[in-house]
Amino acid sequence: MISPIRLVLVTAFSNNLRGRAKYATQALPQLSSEKYDVKRKNFAKLQTKDVEHFKYLLGDERVLTDETDVLPFNIDWIKNCRGQSQVVLKPKTTEEVSKILTYCNDRKLAVCPQGGNTGLVGGSVPVFDEVIVNMMLMNKVISIDDISGALICEAGCILESLDNMARDHQLIMPLDLGAKGTCQIGGNVSTNAGGLRLLRYGNLHGSILGLEAVKADGTVIDCLKTLKKDNTGYHLKHLFIGSEGTLGLVTKVAIHCPVLPKAVTVGFFGVENFENILKLYRSAKSSLGEILSAFEMADYESISNTSKNLNLPNPISDYPFYVLVETHGSNEAHDEEKLTKFLTKEMESGLILDGTVSSEPKKMQTIWNLRESIAGAGLVKGYVFKYDVSIPQKFYYDLVPVLRKRMGDKAVTVCGYGHVGDGNIHINITVPEYTKEASSILEPFIFEEVAKVQGSISAEHGVGFRKPHYIHYSKDKTALQLMRDLKQLMDPNGILNPYKVLPEI
Ligand code: FAD
Ligand code: MLT
Ligand code: ZN
């Protein structure tokens, strides 16, 4: 029996009011070096003279050495990793970054570049005593071009602040993610962050017009162009997009901002099974065409746990699966008509069991908040093993029931959700506490299964510290060798983010 859709079409202009990244459990994680049995590489150890030199470069205030001040910079958002750094540096200019790196390279001190520290693969925190270079004070917007949409800013600008500023110019940032209130554009670039609107606006390899970065030896590489077209030789900016702080420190970014959509609508639907989600996706693409800006899915476990654990309302009742559809358009009446037709059709076909549609900012915020909060919901109940894989859409959800069976009662929950339009599923497995046994049930099994269907072991979060030893499931030997050659060329002493991305030979 098909239940009626609660069709709430209240028109409004887009206004991004969604939530900020939430920090969940406060427990102190085990040291990464012990938990994952890592050996320290032969870098120099921080000495008093080094701290004195950093203070000479930055002043006392921007060099943190007190253990309690440094601790939060040593722990990642998901509390899987803990480093042992003794110093956090907060440069304010590219010149300062250059001087810090020149010094560290000469002294062979290892460095961990850090943005908003919302990364989910342990890349943003040190493993041992790496010097943390946090970019938070490089937060100036340099220019916004209302005509071309080119925004130039420093790497430490918070994504949400940039989006708010872009909106004042009738523009938006081309990327959006649950961590927007904390993550920095430099971190987004360095992880090639995907997020909730990639379906519509593409990934950062398309949106980043240019950037400035500092190499390990302190050389400033100026590729800060705002041109859409520039075929003058090698496209060097792409080396820094997604290299997770291993090839250089991104200091400035030029990004193309799309026009602020005049009409935004969000729909949240209950769906019977995953097969129907795929049918609905095809139908949404053909019915909504160019206005479709997001097509997200979540299973019952994802939504009910998020709703319960974080006390967030679910605007519809319980269903095996949920779909969130968003449209960004320029003509309210036109978009509304398109969406209404789509809903009516799919309600009749039975693909949508129940749902709610709204263009009212508060209601859209409630729906997005529920979706974006899935990331942190499991942390309330224990330790979360988090996977972020690309899988051909026809196999998209297959791993979730397999993992539920494999984990049995060892898992509190196994939930699947993600950017179905991009073939990117997130699987969160919550266990009461971390154990090597649980870890060995999951890994490398998951990566083997992903490789069998020619998927990727990391769709958007990156390789970081947690996955270098599994990278071969997604990268050919020759490609890996070229990565090593590039690393050797750009950072011969290996000081930038060691123990990350590239596996030990
Ligand atoms: P950090 O976490 O500080 O760093 C990430 C990596 O980039 C590290 O390897 C670090 O060394 C490096 N780095 C940071 N800044 C620089 C710099 N200036 N120069 C060189 N290297 C640098 N990711 C997605 O792709 N899509 C999502 O939808 C998404 N949603 C999220 C939702 C939540 C609630 C959370 C907590 C995380 C989410 N993430 C998502 C993961 C994360 O990759 C992004 O939040 C973000 O891109 C990281 O930015 P950051 O400034 O926090 O970087
Ligand atoms: C998301 O899509 O919500 C983010 O990538 C974070 C997560 O994996 O939970
Ligand atoms: Zn995601």
Side-chain angles (χ1 to χ4, degrees):
M1 179 81 180
I2 301 161
S3 47
I5 287 186
R6 288 195 294 278
L7 193 62
V8 195
L9 267 173
V10 187
T11 48
F13 290 115
S14 85
N15 184 7
N16 194 330
L17 295 167
R18 282 177 247 154
R20 287 160 180 267
K22 292 175 195 72
Y23 290 83
T25 165
Q26 296 305 313
L28 202 59
Q30 198 182 346
L31 289 176
S32 302
S33 56
E34 290 170 4
K35 180 173 168 185
Y36 300 105
D37 197 14
V38 191
K39 285 203 171 56
R40 189 180 180 281
K41 291 189 176 178
N42 196 20
F43 295 110
K45 290 201 169 154
L46 189 79
Q47 293 178 12
T48 313
K49 65 170 186 185
D50 301 318
V51 175
E52 275 164 13
H53 183 75
F54 294 138
K55 286 187 175 168
Y56 161 76
L57 288 180
L58 307 180
D60 291 6
E61 300 249 302
R62 293 190 283 127
V63 179
L64 308 184
T65 50
D66 183 273
E67 214 180 311
T68 37
D69 292 343
V70 174
L71 184 67
F73 299 86
N74 267 316
I75 299 174
D76 65 345
W77 188 87
I78 196 172
K79 297 196 165 30
N80 278 359
C81 298
R82 176 153 67 104
Q84 302 162 58
S85 181
Q86 294 149 31
V87 66
V88 179
L89 308 180
K90 297 182 183 176
K92 274 188 176 168
T93 63
T94 302
E95 200 189 353
E96 285 179 355
V97 173
S98 169
K99 284 182 178 160
I100 291 168
L101 290 188
T102 306
Y103 180 83
C104 290
N105 193 48
D106 290 347
R107 277 273 296 124
K108 307 232 173 3
L109 284 168
V111 171
C112 175
Q114 192 178 71
N117 195 10
T118 65
L120 296 169
V121 287
S124 54
V125 288
V127 180
F128 290 94
D129 53 350
E130 296 88 282
V131 172
I132 298 173
V133 180
N134 186 292
M135 300 298 283
M136 64 166 72
L137 298 182
M138 287 193 66
N139 58 2
K140 287 195 254 343
V141 174
I142 297 163
S143 64
I144 301 188
D145 182 336
D146 292 358
I147 297 174
S148 70
L151 182 155
I152 308 180
C153 66
E154 291 179 335
C157 289
I158 302 283
L159 177 60
E160 190 171 46
S161 313
L162 292 177
D163 196 56
N164 288 336
M165 181 165 291
R167 279 164 196 272
D168 293 341
H169 291 255
Q170 301 301 303
L171 301 166
I172 53 167
M173 290 299 278
L175 76 161
D176 184 22
L177 35 146
K180 64 173 109 9
T182 312
C183 65
Q184 301 173 5
I185 191 68
N188 301 147
V189 169
S190 304
T191 54
N192 186 25
L196 308 157
R197 288 188 199 138
L198 187 138
L199 181 70
R200 171 67 172 276
Y201 300 107
N203 71 25
L204 288 175
H205 285 284
S207 305
I208 295 297
L209 300 166
L211 52 77
E212 177 191 82
V214 184
K215 278 205 308 159
D217 66 359
T219 312
V220 179
I221 307 290
D222 182 0
C223 297
L224 196 63
K225 294 270 172 27
T226 55
L227 304 168
K228 271 246 163 171
K229 299 178 84 172
D230 176 16
N231 266 352
T232 49
Y234 307 148
H235 291 230
L236 298 175
K237 66 183 177 191
H238 295 292
L239 278 181
F240 297 97
I241 303 173
S243 59
E244 302 182 58
T246 60
L247 297 182
L249 247 140
V250 176
T251 43
K252 293 192 186 98
V253 169
I255 188 163
H256 177 255
C257 298
V259 169
L260 175 74
K262 289 198 183 116
V264 178
T265 309
V266 170
F268 192 60
F269 312 128
V271 181
E272 184 63 49
N273 52 45
F274 183 71
E275 210 184 318
N276 286 357
I277 291 186
L278 287 186
K279 289 182 188 157
L280 205 56
Y281 175 53
R282 273 195 82 176
S283 166
K285 280 201 291 183
S286 99
S287 305
L288 303 171
E290 76 290 348
I291 62 169
L292 183 65
S293 56
F295 192 99
E296 300 277 311
M297 69 75 70
D299 59 14
Y300 167 78
E301 286 75 5
S302 302
I303 295 297
S304 70
N305 289 323
T306 306
S307 179
K308 269 187 240 147
N309 297 357
L310 302 177
N311 200 19
L312 295 173
N314 174 358
I316 60 175
S317 42
D318 290 350
Y319 290 96
F321 289 91
Y322 297 88
V323 162
L324 189 162
V325 175
E326 185 191 64
T327 62
H328 275 189
S330 59
N331 182 326
E332 250 171 57
H334 173 250
D335 295 357
E336 214 175 284
E337 192 191 325
K338 267 187 158 180
L339 200 60
T340 310
K341 268 192 188 159
F342 168 70
L343 289 177
T344 313
K345 185 173 140 230
E346 298 312 350
M347 207 173 42
E348 278 168 15
S349 73
L351 290 184
I352 295 175
L353 299 177
D354 185 16
T356 176
V357 171
S358 180
S359 301
E360 205 257 298
K362 263 199 162 166
K363 287 194 175 129
M364 293 196 291
Q365 185 197 353
T366 303
I367 295 169
W368 270 120
N369 200 22
L370 185 62
R371 159 63 187 90
E372 291 177 11
S373 300
I374 302 171
L379 299 178
V380 177
K381 295 283 171 190
Y383 181 92
V384 179
F385 288 95
K386 183 171 248 313
Y387 300 97
D388 154 51
V389 297
S390 268
I391 296 198
Q393 278 150 332
K394 61 181 169 182
F395 307 120
Y396 186 88
Y397 194 72
D398 290 1
L399 255 177
V400 179
V402 170
L403 290 171
R404 276 194 190 126
K405 200 166 164 211
R406 209 173 151 82
M407 288 302 285
D409 58 10
K410 289 191 178 68
V412 180
T413 49
V414 176
C415 66
Y417 61 100
H419 319 289
V420 68
D422 308 319
N424 169 196
I425 186 165
H426 299 306
I427 306 177
N428 290 356
I429 293 122
T430 306
V431 292
E433 58 181 358
Y434 173 83
T435 61
K436 284 207 163 133
E437 189 201 357
S439 172
S440 64
I441 296 174
L442 294 166
E443 300 172 17
F445 175 78
I446 291 186
F447 304 121
E448 283 165 1
E449 293 301 299
V450 168
K452 275 185 202 160
V453 291
Q454 280 78 48
S456 168
I457 65 152
S458 171
E460 57 175 12
H461 297 160
V463 176
F465 168 67
R466 291 284 288 110
K467 289 179 270 181
H469 44 300
Y470 298 125
I471 196 172
H472 63 277
Y473 285 107
S474 296
K475 271 271 181 310
D476 174 77
K477 268 190 195 151
T478 52
L480 258 179
Q481 187 53 48
L482 185 55
M483 282 174 63
R484 286 188 204 285
D485 294 346
L486 283 168
K487 174 75 176 170
Q488 178 63 27
L489 177 77
M490 294 177 72
D491 178 15
N493 293 328
I495 61 159
L496 286 178
N497 239 358
Y499 323 103
K500 319 278 173 67
V501 184
L502 283 164
E504 289 305 306
I505 296 173

